[in-house]
Amino acid sequence: MAQDSLFSSDPVPAGSHPRLVLRLIQQDKMPLWVLLLAAIVGILAGLVCGLFESGVSWVIAQRGLLLADRPWWQLLLMGFAISALLGMVGYFLTHTFAPEAGGSGIPEIEGAMEDLRPVRWWRVLPVKFFGGICTLSSGMVLGREGPSVQIGGNVGKMVADLFRLPKEHGHALLAAGAAGGLAAAFNAPLAGILFVMEEMRPQFRYSFLAIKAVAISAVMATLTLQNMKGQHPVIALPHYDAPALKALWLFLFMGAAFGVLGFVFNKLVLACQDGYLALHQNKRHRFVAIGMLVAGTFGVLSLFVPSVTGGGTDLIPQLMDGGYAMATLFVIFSVRLVATLVCFCSGAPGGVFAPTLALGTLFGLVFGYIFHAAFPDLGIEPGAFAIAGMGALFAATVRAPVTGIVLVTEMTDNYQLILPMMITTIGATIVAQWLGGRPLYSQILERTLRMAERLRLADTSKAG
């Protein structure tokens, strides 16, 4: 009887050699094929996310041209109408064709990696792309980073389906696409890799092949984006000197405050989502009407008070110029905190990544001014606390401290602040965990699963 085992000590009949050679070729080529597809996923994710960013910028520019040199009353009316129209398109597309495209989309990718949520890429990709462009360009406080992760993950699933990969390799490409999307959104390849391996660690199916696929996708997505947008950090900030060792305890103190803030923020997000659900009751006309009102309101605010609208990445460099008093910074922080909750929890296709980075910058800058006034001998630069705060709030809400450190470092090019950022983010994570906080995206996923189950039971009872 011919032996198929490659490790058998018995002689193998000559006739079985072609079959063994074929098996060797198939076993050897599949990993290489998956890695090649991961590179294609990264290129596609970088291309689509780059076009997504360009689309948002183009619509904002066209909106500005339409409103240029208008009297205040026309600005008020036209600003509201244009943004409300953009909001209507985004909310309608989401509710009608792909409800899973609402919000950041990261919980959906996490659910898909656990086989708990479907990935309907043929619906999500166009809805997230065009709907996200509309809502983000309306002036709402939303970020493009979460949508980029969902877009990248859906691109990975699309490629896996088109090439009919086995389930295990399909999960690897799903994760690879998510990493590529984040890397392209922030121009931060290492952060994209770490985000999948740290924040998505309960869902990510670890294998050497999957890790390589994630890394290749993140690199290719970044290269694609840099070819489109250039090789420069997402946020152009000054390079700050590393603080003195005797000042590092202040970063730990600030980190503890960020832990409390992150814990409260996560609670507010879930409560606000429940409040919106009570208002619109998942009825399309209510959902779209409320979205239009929110988008129109922030469209007007973006014309008269731009510092409290938008994703926040353009605001952060302005904050570092020192042109804002501490009281003004605190007011902007408070208003943007409410605005982030109102916009993100409304179900619009947009993320909370960039808004939380802006909140962290504002909160950290307030601490920096306080410490600068209280300890003048330490030579503290308030901007260093602002940069550390960016990573701290991310770590406290998402509970991914290493990703937060690397992400902010890559985004701002302030590598000399790694140590104070580590102290701040670890302090924030420990305090948030001590208070009983849990990762934001995991809580949103659990809420989504509960709502899906309720809808299923309601449909079953109606059918019965």
Side-chain angles (χ1 to χ4, degrees):
M1 182 177 180
Q3 299 292 323
D4 287 340
S5 172
L6 300 179
F7 302 99
S8 174
S9 58
D10 298 332
V12 180
S16 64
H17 279 297
R19 186 173 59 178
L20 288 177
V21 171
L22 179 62
R23 286 179 56 195
L24 282 171
I25 292 174
Q26 290 174 339
Q27 290 176 358
D28 189 50
K29 280 190 175 181
M30 178 55 78
L32 293 177
W33 180 236
V34 172
L35 297 181
L36 175 61
L37 291 179
I40 294 173
V41 167
I43 294 171
L44 291 176
L47 177 63
V48 176
C49 291
L51 293 174
F52 182 67
E53 179 185 351
S54 298
V56 173
S57 300
W58 184 83
V59 175
I60 291 175
Q62 300 308 306
R63 177 171 165 266
L65 290 175
L66 287 173
L67 297 173
D69 301 324
R70 302 276 184 178
W72 68 268
W73 61 272
Q74 288 187 9
L75 282 179
L76 192 67
L77 294 175
M78 292 183 63
F80 184 91
I82 293 173
S83 291
L85 179 61
L86 290 170
M88 182 189 72
V89 174
Y91 284 94
F92 178 80
L93 288 175
T94 301
H95 196 279
T96 305
F97 299 105
E100 64 267 37
S104 73
I106 293 175
E108 291 291 334
I109 296 300
E110 293 182 350
M113 291 172 68
E114 286 191 286
D115 295 323
L116 298 175
R117 296 292 291 167
V119 182
R120 302 185 299 173
W121 50 264
W122 57 94
R123 288 175 174 259
V124 171
L125 285 175
V127 169
K128 198 74 172 189
F129 187 87
F130 294 106
I133 287 176
C134 290
T135 52
L136 265 67
S137 58
S138 68
M140 296 175 67
V141 183
L142 298 168
R144 69 176 188 276
E145 298 76 20
S148 296
V149 173
Q150 188 176 21
I151 287 172
N154 276 263
V155 167
K157 178 63 173 174
M158 178 187 72
V159 172
D161 287 348
L162 292 177
F163 287 90
R164 299 182 180 181
L165 291 186
K167 188 174 183 180
E168 176 187 356
H169 300 318
H171 278 284
L173 287 192
L174 179 67
L182 184 64
F186 284 118
N187 194 12
L190 186 55
I193 298 169
L194 290 175
F195 181 76
V196 170
M197 297 178 63
E198 184 183 29
E199 203 284 330
M200 296 182 174
R201 62 191 179 279
Q203 299 86 21
F204 181 55
R205 304 185 181 187
Y206 282 88
S207 69
F208 193 42
L209 178 62
I211 293 173
K212 287 189 289 185
V214 166
I216 289 173
S217 176
V219 170
M220 297 306 296
T222 306
L223 290 174
T224 303
L225 181 80
Q226 289 183 355
N227 272 288
M228 297 172 65
K229 304 291 183 180
Q231 294 176 287
H232 52 78
V234 172
I235 303 176
L237 296 179
H239 288 180
Y240 295 96
D241 295 329
L245 292 177
K246 58 184 178 181
L248 291 180
W249 69 273
L250 296 174
F251 287 88
L252 182 61
F253 179 83
M254 185 180 75
F258 269 100
V260 176
L261 175 62
F263 172 78
V264 173
F265 181 80
N266 286 5
K267 293 289 186 182
L268 290 174
V269 166
L270 297 174
C272 194
Q273 286 183 330
D274 291 338
Y276 265 110
L277 182 60
L279 284 175
H280 60 68
Q281 299 177 353
N282 205 30
K283 296 178 180 178
R284 184 174 305 157
H285 65 282
R286 291 189 182 184
F287 181 79
V288 175
I290 293 172
M292 290 177 65
L293 179 62
V294 172
T297 301
F298 279 91
V300 173
L301 289 175
S302 68
L303 300 174
F304 296 98
V305 198
S307 59
V308 299
T309 62
T313 52
D314 294 332
L315 174 65
I316 291 173
Q318 301 173 22
L319 298 173
M320 299 298 192
D321 292 340
Y324 292 90
M326 186 174 67
T328 305
L329 291 173
F330 189 76
V331 170
I332 296 174
F333 165 79
S334 302
V335 176
R336 284 193 67 93
L337 176 60
V338 175
T340 301
L341 294 171
V342 169
C343 294
F344 175 67
C345 300
S346 67
V352 75
F353 249 120
T356 54
L357 292 177
L359 289 174
T361 303
L362 285 160
F363 202 55
L365 205 53
V366 170
F367 269 97
Y369 282 128
I370 293 173
F371 293 150
H372 181 74
F375 305 99
D377 297 336
L378 293 179
I380 297 171
E381 295 181 273
F385 286 90
I387 291 175
M390 293 171 62
L393 187 55
F394 174 87
T397 55
V398 180
R399 298 287 289 280
V402 177
T403 304
I405 295 165
V406 173
L407 175 64
V408 174
T409 301
E410 288 186 296
M411 287 179 64
T412 65
D413 198 30
N414 270 276
Y415 290 87
Q416 64 277 10
L417 295 180
I418 286 182
L419 181 59
M421 275 195 286
M422 291 176 65
I423 294 172
T424 309
T425 53
I426 291 173
T429 306
I430 291 174
V431 170
Q433 184 175 2
W434 177 73
L435 291 172
R438 298 176 55 227
L440 176 61
Y441 295 129
S442 297
Q443 294 183 76
I444 294 176
L445 173 60
E446 290 176 3
R447 181 180 179 276
T448 302
L449 294 174
R450 288 196 302 269
M451 290 180 59
E453 181 64 17
R454 289 175 190 170
L455 290 174
R456 187 188 68 80
L457 291 176
D459 293 339
T460 303
S461 62
K462 288 180 181 179

